Amino acid sequence: MKEVFNSIWNRIKRYARETFYFISSAIFIKNFAAMLLTFGFLMFFVFWWLQCYTNHGESLQVHNYIGMPLQDAVRKAESRSFSIVISDSIFVVGKPPLEVLEQNPKPLSRVKENRKIYLTITKASPDLVNLPDITGGNDDFTQYSRKLRRLGVNAKIVDRKFSNKLEPNTILEVRYNEEEITDQLIEGFKVPMGTTLNFVVTERGGGTVPIPNVVCKQYDAASFLIGNFNLNIGSIIPDATVTDRETAFVWRQVPRYRAGVNIRIGEQVDLYITQHRPDGCEEESSIERGYDSEEQGL
């Protein structure tokens, strides 16, 4: 038993001696040092690449591109090393083409460099919408014009015809580009958004009202006043300065205001609007006194 133990012990000492000689040799030390240097270089390179790729701890603020022309948005994005991607396009009545409507990421948020900015912009050409049918009790102009408004289509009464059998404001004719399309509505007829359709409706004669004077009024006030006179707004003609229709001023109306002159109830008043208060509108209080006297006579 003692001989077996001594044999094992001698073998262990021999292996230990050989291992010591191996790890203390110049070849092992040289190779081990080279391996450590290689591993250290690889680790440095990996961490450096990750930091460059993620811009660790660095972010940039996103501009507010909403309301900008697309070309300006692209230029501003590139100045921050962002790239623009068009995710959707929508036609909006009254909006110029290629204007930014929405963006993702949101304005003023902070993101990494080289991020993609996704934009929704206005279309250069309008969408086509299918006009509702006027059969089956859908021939009342007031109700039908509301449906058209939801579709982005304008409605204008161009003529009235006397009828004792039909309710007032019943649609008799629908015209598009000076062509009657009344019968074509049954099968479906499409027009571009923003189109103005012309209507011929019925009337039963009856009451008249004075022509309100809405010149120098802002559009929202003029619209309210015209409605109070049981009249309708016809065409709205903005000049190049208009950016917000609700706060724009009326500088001309058709028919124009004339004291003592009446028009039929339900007639339309066309409004020409401009963004800034027109010259000669400083005496607004006297104009408003004229409105008050007219309203008291109704």
Side-chain angles (χ1 to χ4, degrees):
M1 181 66 109
K2 185 177 180 180
E3 292 179 356
V4 173
F5 178 77
N6 289 336
S7 175
I8 294 174
W9 176 247
N10 290 333
R11 187 177 299 175
I12 291 173
K13 290 195 294 183
R14 186 172 66 252
Y15 286 155
R17 189 182 308 112
E18 290 177 356
T19 300
F20 174 75
Y21 288 152
F22 174 73
I23 64 177
S24 61
S25 66
I27 295 176
F28 176 80
I29 294 173
K30 182 179 179 180
N31 290 335
F32 185 72
M35 184 177 64
L36 287 177
L37 288 173
T38 302
F39 179 77
F41 174 78
L42 289 175
M43 292 299 295
F44 172 80
F45 176 78
V46 169
F47 283 115
W48 173 82
W49 180 81
L50 286 174
Q51 186 172 16
C52 292
Y53 180 76
T54 61
N55 289 325
H56 182 66
E58 298 177 6
S59 63
L60 297 173
Q61 192 175 57
V62 179
H63 285 295
N64 183 1
Y65 304 110
I66 296 175
M68 283 188 185
L70 177 61
Q71 186 176 2
D72 292 346
V74 170
R75 185 171 61 253
K76 280 187 172 290
E78 290 177 347
S79 70
R80 287 292 181 91
S81 300
F82 299 141
S83 57
I84 292 294
V85 178
I86 306 302
S87 60
D88 197 6
S89 59
I90 304 171
F91 181 77
V92 180
V93 178
K95 289 279 188 181
L98 305 180
E99 179 178 308
V100 179
L101 298 175
E102 298 177 2
Q103 69 178 79
N104 184 28
K106 293 183 178 180
L108 307 182
S109 58
R110 302 196 71 87
V111 298
K112 300 297 183 182
E113 195 176 10
N114 299 319
R115 176 68 184 267
K116 291 182 178 179
I117 309 297
Y118 296 89
L119 301 181
T120 299
I121 63 173
T122 55
K123 284 185 176 180
S125 56
D127 294 323
L128 294 177
V129 294
N130 195 40
L131 296 177
D133 190 9
I134 62 172
T135 59
N138 296 320
D139 56 357
D140 177 73
F141 174 78
T142 301
Q143 298 297 327
Y144 192 79
S145 62
R146 289 175 183 171
K147 293 180 181 180
L148 293 182
R149 212 159 27 238
R150 289 194 290 267
L151 295 173
V153 177
N154 301 314
K156 180 179 180 181
I157 298 174
V158 294
D159 195 11
R160 294 177 181 270
K161 294 184 178 180
F162 179 79
S163 173
N164 278 331
K165 296 181 179 180
L166 299 175
E167 291 294 324
N169 284 332
T170 299
I171 298 172
L172 297 177
E173 295 179 14
V174 184
R175 299 173 184 173
Y176 170 61
N177 287 342
E178 300 182 357
E179 176 185 354
E180 185 179 348
I181 59 170
T182 312
D183 295 336
Q184 300 179 51
L185 297 180
I186 299 175
E187 300 177 356
F189 192 89
K190 294 183 178 182
V191 298
M193 289 181 66
T195 295
T196 297
L197 297 178
N198 295 328
F199 289 81
V200 178
V201 300
T202 60
E203 68 171 357
R204 288 188 178 178
T208 63
V209 292
I211 302 173
N213 185 1
V214 296
V215 173
C216 296
K217 282 283 188 182
Q218 287 184 302
Y219 172 79
D220 56 351
S223 174
F224 178 78
L225 186 58
I226 289 171
N228 281 347
F229 276 74
N230 293 318
L231 300 172
N232 295 308
I233 294 179
S235 298
I236 302 169
I237 303 94
D239 65 14
T241 66
V242 174
T243 56
D244 181 6
R245 188 171 72 178
E246 299 303 317
T247 60
F249 289 85
V250 178
W251 66 271
R252 181 188 176 195
Q253 67 178 77
V254 177
R256 65 184 180 87
Y257 167 74
R258 288 176 292 173
V261 176
N262 290 4
I263 57 176
R264 292 175 297 182
I265 291 175
E267 285 294 317
Q268 293 181 317
V269 180
D270 296 336
L271 302 178
Y272 293 76
I273 58 176
T274 185
Q275 192 61 55
H276 307 291
R277 187 186 300 276
D279 295 337
C281 288
E282 290 76 15
E283 298 180 3
E284 190 171 340
S285 59
S286 64
I287 296 173
E288 291 178 349
R289 286 194 297 270
Y291 292 154
D292 295 338
S293 64
E294 290 171 358
E295 291 173 356
Q296 291 172 0
L298 285 178

